[in-house]
Amino acid sequence: MAGDTGPTTAHPTSSHWGVYEALVRDGRVVGVRPDPRDPDPSPMIGNAPAAQHHATRVDRPVVRRRWLENGPGPDPRRGDPDDEYVSVGWDTALDLLAGELDRVRREHGDAAVYGGSYGWASAGRFHHAQSQLHRFLNTLGGYTRSVNTYSHAAVEVLFPHVVGAAGTHDLLRRAPTWEAVAEHTELLVSFGGLRVSNTWTASGGRAARTAEPGMRAAARAGTEIVSISPLRDDTAAGLGARWLSAEPGTDTAILLALIHVLVTDSLADTAFLARFTTGWPELRRYVLGEDGGTPKTPEWAGAISGLDADVLRALARRMAERRTLVNVGWSVQRSRYGEQPMWAGIALAACLGQIGLPGGGFATGYGSSGNYGGGATPVAPPRLPQGTNPVDSLIPVARVSDMLLHPGEPFDFDGRRLRYPDIRLVYWAGGNPFHHHQDLARLRRAFGRPDTVVVNETHWTATARHADIVLPATTTLERDDFTASQGDLRLRVMRRAVPPHGSARDEYDTFAALAGRLGVGAEFTEGRTSAEWLRHMYEEWRGRQGAAPLPDFDAFWADGGVDIPHRVEDAALFGAFRADPAANPLGTPSGRIELYSETVAGFGYPDCPGHAAWLDPAERPGSARSGEWPLTLVANQPDGRLHSQQDMGAHSRAQKVADRAPVRLHPADAAARGIAGGDVVRLFNDRGSCLAGAVLDDGVRRGVVQLSTGAWFDPSSTEVTCAHGNPNALTTDVGTSRLSHGCTGQLALVEAARVDGPVPPVRAFEPPRITGPAD
Ligand SMILES: Nc1nc2c(c(=O)[nH]1)N[C@H]1C(S)=C(S)[C@@H](COP(=O)(O)OP(=O)(O)OC[C@H]3O[C@@H](n4cnc5c(=O)[nH]c(N)nc54)[C@H](O)[C@@H]3O)O[C@H]1N2
Ligand SMILES: Nc1nc2c(c(=O)[nH]1)N[C@H]1C(S)=C(S)[C@@H](COP(=O)(O)OP(=O)(O)OC[C@H]3O[C@@H](n4cnc5c(=O)[nH]c(N)nc54)[C@H](O)[C@@H]3O)O[C@H]1N2
Ligand SMILES: [Mo]
């Protein structure tokens, strides 16, 4: 065939999940080739070819017919799978959107625009959707923003009270390198495991994959690994890790019991506690039950967690005898009262007295991100300047439904009393809230409230299908860019591989055109084209590297990248504080690690008291709700993709069972419900339901079912909330606590049943009905 005869060319690029080359023939991506320097590439790069040219690509600007005909306004039918879109052409779409932005700002003020727009978008640092959107909205006059992340909001908000802001930054960025772990750490106890597939990902992509080789080298060097988790495969086979299968959501009880043993066995490092912490007497009283509460004994924790009391006792003693690193993974805080296991984790490490010693102490992020433990560089990659947001209106990111449903209502947040703004226009670019948010039925109601929803997307995600105006964005493979992740050692050129799909545009051009219509074109562009911005950002960054002789832009571009000047951090985390706490105090009121915080206690939040405490969550085995909903759903990160991105790709599709997301169950739980491998299963609770395909696995703790996030939300069936298997049909939309309002999507109580008879088809990958001319 003539069309198949062109030469195949290779184009270097980067995704958050790997550095690779796109193989292109006749203008189409036909394959991928891993970066030659990556010895163990992630299979997720295999999703790119099918995703690039999929039928769900947004190929032209469209407007939802009901909005076009009725004008802006709340619409409970927003997101109706049968809604029709009208192809209007770029000029009309931009005119309509500019007019609506202008109307909302004039009538309701800039705070009525929600530009929170959370999401991972793509890896390139210039064509980064949020950066572009935020720069545009700031140029215009500002917007209501979101703060903190779905990933680890409880860490971000709690730890400044516990170790100070700089200490929190260090905890998230400067953990002991895997080399230091191999050299110094005798025992690594990880709550939430060290899930290898999670380390395939790092924001921006990563030139060198260091996590999996690092953990293997540590295991070879003799680091003993204990994984406390509901899934056996949260640690790689071959690490020789010991799996302690615990009930999800019970880590705080386990951690408090380990502290209890250290105290009663006189193994707690009282000299360390006295010198480097404050609040130990309060925590100690609580743990021992001297405050009138239950003593937090191993027997007490054993009954809650399912771990044997003697196992906990032996573990605590072993930790005290060895150089021990306590890692509490981010998943552990992504549920109700998620602040508590973090605070209890650092309290345990403080009792062991090893914080500040090489390879010892506390960490949070091994097994959660590819760059954690990879060493740090003091140099951040180039970044598009975003200007300043003159509007002082914000929400904690996971409170989006509350905000839209309860305008004007007050809420508590980290000691402040704030009010939800009255949002009239929601603008999302580079994120998929109908992937990431909890209780999607509630989110759908919330998305019915604003006057107008605007989404820039590469694909027809469920979020795009809840929008009134949808603007097609180019993908990474359609633009020139560069990228590096935090701690990366190389800034890499990403080269355009294929022409834009349909009439998709770079978001920079979209926002420049909108800014022009709204009278701020010159401020937004500063007179530069995309290509000129790349050069400008690079040269500006190069200029900041001082003495380091870096190549100029043309040489950088020709070479395909530049090594980033760096320094591998070998100083122990909190080492300076330990060496001289008077000279190097932490940024807390006491200058020490606050095991009890007067500040947090002073907020008076029952859901986050002044020290780590066991607060019994509703969504856990053994709770009152668990009588009706006896299974604990673990909604962890998918190993076939990043979140919802490229779910239609070959690697992700190959994992589906009966066309749906795979749900893993213990064979005994399956047998009790007459479920066999390959069956379609309905998971349900009082919030919603979804279908999934059964996989039986005795590496799943009994009573637990695992359904990873990221199956494209499919509300097309009237019988279930999602026909495809998105776990957020089942999760609860309540924050971790009033302190941080973190995401609680990781755990939910559910029941499961086999589906007999006709099963609704999966329609997630069908684009919506579009009328009108192709643009
Ligand atoms: N139940 C449960 N829910 C969770 C979690 C959990 O553990 N359990 N984890 C949470 C976590 S940690 C996170 S970080 C979130 C992730 O949630 P998100 O970051 O929202 O998920 P993604 O699927 O990565 O969404 C990115 C979107 O950007 C689009 N995109 C890619 N490139 C571009 C571009 O150039 N321009 C534009 N406009 N769009 C682009 C993609 O098509 C995709 O739709 O999910 C959270 N949700
Ligand atoms: N392949 C891939 N990698 C990713 C991502 C992705 O989408 N795909 N997303 C990235 C992002 S944005 C983030 S924030 C990180 C998230 O990193 P994490 O939060 O660490 O990842 P999860 O997979 O959600 O959870 C890891 C494991 O924790 C266990 N777990 C769940 N609940 C509990 C509990 O209550 N107690 C204990 N002890 N264990 C529990 C589960 O068995 C789960 O497999 O991953 C990143 N890496
Ligand atoms: Mo995340």
Side-chain angles (χ1 to χ4, degrees):
M1 256 166 38
D4 281 345
T5 53
T8 301
T9 51
H11 306 259
T13 189
S14 184
S15 60
H16 299 297
W17 51 93
V19 178
Y20 66 96
E21 289 174 329
L23 304 178
V24 172
R25 196 168 58 217
D26 297 325
R28 291 180 71 84
V29 180
V30 294
V32 293
R33 186 162 68 197
D35 185 90
R37 282 160 293 204
D38 192 344
D40 191 13
S42 146
M44 304 197 303
I45 61 175
N47 286 328
Q52 174 63 25
H53 304 289
H54 196 260
T56 52
R57 280 299 300 276
V58 184
D59 65 352
R60 53 195 139 147
V62 295
V63 180
R64 200 166 61 89
R65 181 175 290 287
R66 287 171 56 81
W67 189 92
L68 199 58
E69 289 173 356
N70 304 337
D75 184 352
R77 279 186 48 187
R78 205 172 262 127
D80 183 332
D82 294 320
D83 249 0
E84 184 184 308
Y85 285 85
V86 182
S87 173
V88 295
W90 269 107
D91 283 340
T92 305
L94 293 171
D95 288 346
L96 282 169
L97 176 50
E100 176 59 359
L101 273 165
D102 190 49
R103 179 193 74 84
V104 167
R105 295 176 57 235
R106 266 189 296 105
E107 292 179 6
H108 305 285
D110 289 293
V113 175
Y114 183 59
S117 189
Y118 184 84
W120 270 57
S122 56
R125 297 296 94 178
F126 172 67
H127 294 287
H128 178 248
Q130 275 86 35
S131 305
Q132 294 285 349
L133 174 63
H134 294 161
R135 179 178 169 85
F136 165 69
L137 291 175
N138 282 339
T139 310
L140 216 51
Y143 60 97
T144 291
R145 69 188 193 279
S146 62
V147 295
N148 304 128
T149 63
Y150 276 75
S151 311
H152 44 51
V155 177
E156 291 163 80
V157 181
L158 173 69
F159 270 93
H161 298 294
V162 176
V163 294
T168 305
H169 182 268
D170 282 358
L171 261 180
L172 287 169
R173 298 272 194 245
R174 280 205 38 215
T177 58
W178 282 109
E179 289 78 6
V181 171
E183 188 178 342
H184 302 287
T185 308
E186 293 168 301
L187 175 60
L188 170 56
V189 179
S190 187
F191 292 78
L194 299 171
R195 200 165 177 78
V196 165
S197 54
N198 285 344
T199 68
W200 292 337
T201 292
S203 178
R206 193 170 162 77
R209 293 253 317 280
T210 45
E212 187 180 358
M215 58 182 87
R216 290 194 188 283
R220 271 198 310 277
T223 305
E224 188 184 326
I225 297 170
V226 174
S227 168
I228 297 170
S229 131
L231 303 180
R232 184 190 289 136
D233 63 6
D234 276 339
T235 48
L239 292 182
R242 175 154 182 232
W243 177 38
L244 297 184
S245 159
E247 295 285 18
T250 66
D251 303 86
T252 307
I254 298 168
L255 287 155
L256 292 169
L258 295 170
I259 295 174
H260 189 279
V261 176
L262 296 180
V263 176
T264 51
D265 283 15
S266 301
L267 293 171
D269 187 336
T270 49
F272 181 93
L273 288 163
R275 185 148 185 243
F276 297 102
T277 75
T278 180
W280 171 239
E282 285 88 344
L283 183 63
R284 184 179 185 279
R285 253 198 317 280
Y286 170 77
V287 168
L288 295 179
E290 290 170 359
D291 62 346
T294 315
K296 308 301 179 286
T297 60
E299 283 72 18
W300 167 83
I304 294 171
S305 66
L307 292 181
D308 190 274
D310 288 334
V311 168
L312 291 176
R313 218 169 253 117
L315 178 63
R317 291 173 187 150
R318 206 168 175 80
M319 291 172 95
E321 283 163 9
R322 285 168 169 68
R323 178 60 55 85
T324 298
L325 187 54
V326 179
N327 180 58
V328 184
W330 300 340
S331 63
V332 177
Q333 52 91 71
R334 211 175 297 115
S335 62
R336 186 72 175 142
Y337 312 130
E339 294 83 1
Q340 304 312 314
M342 287 292 154
W343 211 344
I346 196 161
L348 171 65
C351 290
L352 293 169
Q354 300 180 17
I355 293 172
L357 293 180
F362 176 77
T364 176
Y366 294 108
S368 301
S369 175
N371 46 5
Y372 206 78
T377 157
V379 176
R383 187 165 175 268
L384 178 69
Q386 296 181 21
T388 47
N389 186 349
V391 171
D392 185 25
S393 169
L394 65 85
I395 58 160
V397 66
R399 296 278 53 79
V400 56
S401 291
D402 283 2
M403 171 183 73
L404 296 174
L405 291 168
H406 300 288
E409 284 189 19
F411 64 99
D412 291 311
F413 174 44
D414 194 18
R416 302 161 72 186
R417 190 131 179 103
L418 302 173
R419 261 177 212 287
Y420 289 121
D422 186 1
I423 297 299
R424 299 306 175 108
L425 186 147
V426 170
Y427 201 142
W428 226 288
N432 187 1
F434 283 88
H435 156 74
H436 67 232
H437 196 55
Q438 286 55 70
D439 195 346
L440 292 179
R442 184 169 189 254
L443 184 69
R444 297 190 84 196
R445 288 196 296 282
F447 262 64
R449 300 299 281 270
D451 294 349
T452 300
V453 176
V454 188
V455 169
N456 296 359
E457 253 296 350
T458 57
H459 288 78
W460 273 108
T461 61
T463 302
R465 298 186 71 150
H466 282 77
D468 303 305
I469 301 177
V470 180
L471 300 179
T474 50
T475 64
T476 278
L477 296 177
E478 295 160 8
R479 9 181 234 229
D480 285 333
D481 213 332
F482 46 63
T483 193
S485 58
Q486 165 70 34
D488 220 334
L489 299 184
R490 194 163 167 82
L491 181 68
R492 299 175 302 278
V493 169
M494 301 160 64
R495 296 193 199 278
R496 176 185 297 135
V498 286
H501 181 83
S503 70
R505 287 190 185 169
D506 293 354
E507 271 152 315
Y508 177 69
D509 297 329
T510 299
F511 288 126
L514 279 172
R517 279 167 171 76
L518 291 161
V520 291
E523 290 87 334
F524 179 75
T525 64
E526 295 178 29
R528 294 187 191 95
T529 62
S530 292
E532 286 162 354
W533 268 107
L534 290 177
R535 179 178 296 270
H536 171 77
M537 282 166 64
Y538 177 85
E539 289 296 351
E540 192 269 339
W541 175 80
R542 180 166 82 109
R544 277 190 283 118
Q545 306 318 315
L550 295 181
D552 68 10
F553 179 79
D554 291 316
F556 156 70
W557 198 257
D559 275 6
V562 63
D563 289 340
I564 299 178
H566 70 283
R567 171 168 56 89
V568 173
E569 301 278 358
D570 45 11
L573 181 63
F574 297 120
F577 166 63
R578 185 183 184 110
D580 189 344
N584 307 303
L586 300 180
T588 54
S590 61
R592 301 181 186 181
I593 301 169
E594 303 223 338
L595 303 183
Y596 173 87
S597 162
E598 299 270 359
T599 312
V600 174
F603 297 156
Y605 300 155
D607 51 5
C608 190
H611 60 69
W614 168 247
L615 307 172
D616 205 350
E619 304 283 324
R620 81 154 176 97
S623 71
R625 275 177 65 79
S626 69
E628 197 169 357
W629 315 112
L631 299 172
T632 309
L633 169 73
V634 169
N636 61 352
Q637 313 303 307
D639 61 5
R641 62 193 168 268
L642 175 73
H643 314 135
S644 69
Q645 294 198 41
Q646 305 190 338
D647 188 25
M648 73 297 286
H651 179 64
S652 184
R653 288 296 279 268
Q655 295 184 334
K656 308 272 177 195
V657 175
D659 234 18
R660 340 254 146 183
V663 57
R664 287 201 295 170
L665 308 95
H666 190 279
D669 291 321
R673 291 164 178 79
I675 296 169
D679 282 351
V680 175
V681 172
R682 191 167 70 96
L683 299 172
F684 57 101
N685 61 20
D686 47 351
R687 292 178 290 265
S689 56
C690 70
L691 301 181
V695 175
L696 310 193
D697 187 340
D698 70 0
V700 175
R701 182 181 168 79
R702 271 204 77 167
V704 167
V705 294
Q706 180 227 327
L707 175 67
S708 294
T709 63
W712 272 31
F713 180 55
D714 183 346
S716 64
S717 161
T718 51
E719 288 157 51
V720 285
T721 318
C722 174
H724 187 203
N726 186 312
N728 281 320
L730 302 157
T731 51
T732 168
D733 187 10
V734 57
T736 50
S737 80
R738 256 164 272 201
L739 187 84
S740 16
H741 290 286
C743 163
T744 58
Q746 186 77 196
L747 305 176
L749 291 181
V750 300
E751 179 54 292
R754 191 181 69 214
V755 178
D756 295 315
V759 184
V762 175
R763 296 184 51 201
F765 300 128
E766 292 172 17
R769 204 144 44 93
I770 299 176
T771 56
D775 194 38

